[in-house]
Amino acid sequence: MNRKKLCLFLYIIFSMTSANVMANEVERPCKSEEIIGTWEIVMGRNRGNIPDAYQDLVAHYQVLVYKSNNFFQRISADKKMSDSKLKKLMKTTPLKTYSINNGIIKTLDVLGNMLEQYSCFYVTKDASERNLKKGMITLMWVKNKQPVIMNTFEKKSTTSKDPKRENI
């Protein structure tokens, strides 16, 4: 399939997914209490031609940690890591902060500058035709008003109430 056809196909999929998702009530905007925990990627889709700043978002293996104190971490790699390796890496990965409002997540650096913004959808019921299970989240990054990346994550663990404790 040539590049233009692939881009058109992925655009159609993104468009159908975002419109049909809400219409079929399979997904709805995430709430802050739902995203707390450790999430592991189960599938990712992109339109190709990904900007350099987004390269970690298309890695084959990704783990996201949203903490109750609004701290956030992301690990991206070419292949799956063991829990022990993830824990070690998390100790050296800088913390970022995040905010969520109406399903829009913004990540911020230590100075409060916005690093990225993306839409978060919580899966409310199984949709086997789309390989979605209740409790998953789908994150969608948009550039120039067009969906660029859509990644779906499954909860690996729930973060403890103590934000200082390790969670993976």
Side-chain angles (χ1 to χ4, degrees):
M1 187 180 293
N2 74 30
R3 189 179 191 104
K4 284 185 180 181
K5 285 183 181 178
L6 178 63
C7 287
L8 178 62
F9 172 75
L10 288 172
Y11 173 74
I12 290 168
I13 295 297
F14 282 142
S15 299
M16 288 173 35
T17 301
S18 59
N20 289 338
V21 160
M22 302 306 275
N24 294 331
E25 297 181 17
V26 171
E27 293 178 292
R28 61 166 168 66
C30 295
K31 298 177 184 174
S32 59
E33 63 273 7
E34 293 166 336
I35 66 169
I36 305 300
T38 302
W39 299 85
E40 190 171 59
I41 193 166
V42 291
M43 73 180 135
R45 293 168 282 213
N46 67 72
R47 284 188 51 207
N49 212 12
I50 305 300
D52 289 342
Y54 288 25
Q55 290 304 310
D56 61 329
L57 304 176
V58 294
H60 295 294
Y61 183 67
Q62 299 174 46
V63 173
L64 308 175
V65 180
Y66 294 97
K67 298 185 179 199
S68 59
N69 60 356
N70 287 82
F71 281 109
F72 165 78
Q73 289 176 291
R74 174 186 291 126
I75 300 290
S76 299
D78 291 333
K79 60 182 180 178
K80 188 171 178 151
M81 294 180 202
S82 67
D83 285 351
S84 61
K85 187 170 183 176
L86 269 173
K87 283 181 185 180
K88 286 179 187 175
L89 203 49
M90 286 292 181
K91 289 179 182 178
T92 61
T93 301
L95 287 173
K96 299 171 189 167
T97 58
Y98 74 93
S99 65
I100 182 169
N101 187 12
N102 293 323
I104 304 295
I105 298 176
K106 294 179 182 178
T107 59
L108 311 163
D109 66 14
V110 293
L111 299 175
N113 299 314
M114 188 169 69
L115 298 171
E116 61 184 343
Q117 176 176 308
Y118 47 92
S119 299
C120 179
F121 301 98
Y122 183 82
V123 179
T124 59
K125 61 183 177 183
D126 292 352
S128 58
E129 69 282 359
R130 293 183 38 224
N131 296 319
L132 295 175
K133 295 179 190 166
K134 182 178 179 177
M136 290 179 162
I137 59 172
T138 299
L139 306 179
M140 183 170 54
W141 287 261
V142 174
K143 184 167 177 71
N144 299 325
K145 298 182 181 181
Q146 299 296 320
V148 178
I149 300 168
M150 187 181 305
N151 292 337
T152 303
F153 294 83
E154 191 166 41
K155 193 170 259 189
K156 187 174 173 72
S157 72
T158 302
T159 310
S160 81
K161 296 293 181 192
D162 180 359
K164 294 179 183 172
R165 288 192 60 206
E166 287 186 44
N167 301 287
I168 288 197

